[in-house]
Amino acid sequence: MSADNTPSFHERAVAEIQSIPYGRVATYGQIAARAGNPRGSRQVSRILHSSSRKEKLPWHRVINAKGGISLPPGGGYELQKSLLRDEGVEFDERGLVDLERCGC
DNA sequence: TTACTGACCTTTT
DNA sequence: AAAAAGGCCAGTA
């Protein structure tokens, strides 16, 4: 981590993820674009996995651009859904989050 | 058809 | 060895 004065993609993305308030969600594209790479949405997921192991990142607040869970069933899909619901996030009948309300 | 979004893998520090 | 940093490709709308 170049914590000197080099705002890397990694720490930038982690900061954005941690900046997500309660009851709010963010998409990969939003975080990636804010981090400095509009095409680095893939890396965001990697950071969620990597940093969340040591840092307690609200990975459950990170969803895809459709407002849904990109995780496979049994891999954390219903788990994240429950976490978001516990925060007050409204889910669609299809399991989609209201990006108009929580899409910061 | 084209454009955009992904929950990874690889390499470097 | 472990963690951080970085990018390309294919699927879907």
Side-chain angles (χ1 to χ4, degrees), chain A residues 30-82:
Chain A
Q30 290 308 305
I31 298 172
R34 277 171 105 183
N37 224 357
R39 256 110 234 160
S41 29
R42 279 192 78 149
Q43 195 181 342
V44 178
S45 81
R46 193 59 267 212
I47 294 166
L48 286 171
H49 275 248
S50 297
S51 297
S52 59
R53 276 187 204 202
K54 287 157 293 301
E55 295 200 47
K56 308 302 286 187
L57 296 182
W59 63 273
H60 52 266
R61 290 189 192 151
V62 187
I63 55 180
N64 59 37
K66 306 173 303 263
I69 315 260
S70 304
L71 287 164
Y77 166 68
E78 39 183 300
L79 175 63
Q80 185 176 17
K81 199 167 141 190
S82 305

Side-chain angles (χ1 to χ4, degrees), chain A residues 20-26 58-64 67-71 76-91 95-98 102:
Chain A
I20 307 176
Y22 175 90
R24 207 113 301 167
V25 290
W59 63 273
H60 52 266
R61 290 189 192 151
V62 187
I63 55 180
N64 59 37
I69 315 260
S70 304
L71 287 164
Y77 166 68
E78 39 183 300
L79 175 63
Q80 185 176 17
K81 199 167 141 190
S82 305
L83 286 164
L84 290 173
R85 273 194 177 181
D86 181 72
E87 297 200 339
V89 177
E90 304 165 54
F91 270 87
L96 304 181
V97 193
D98 291 90
C102 310

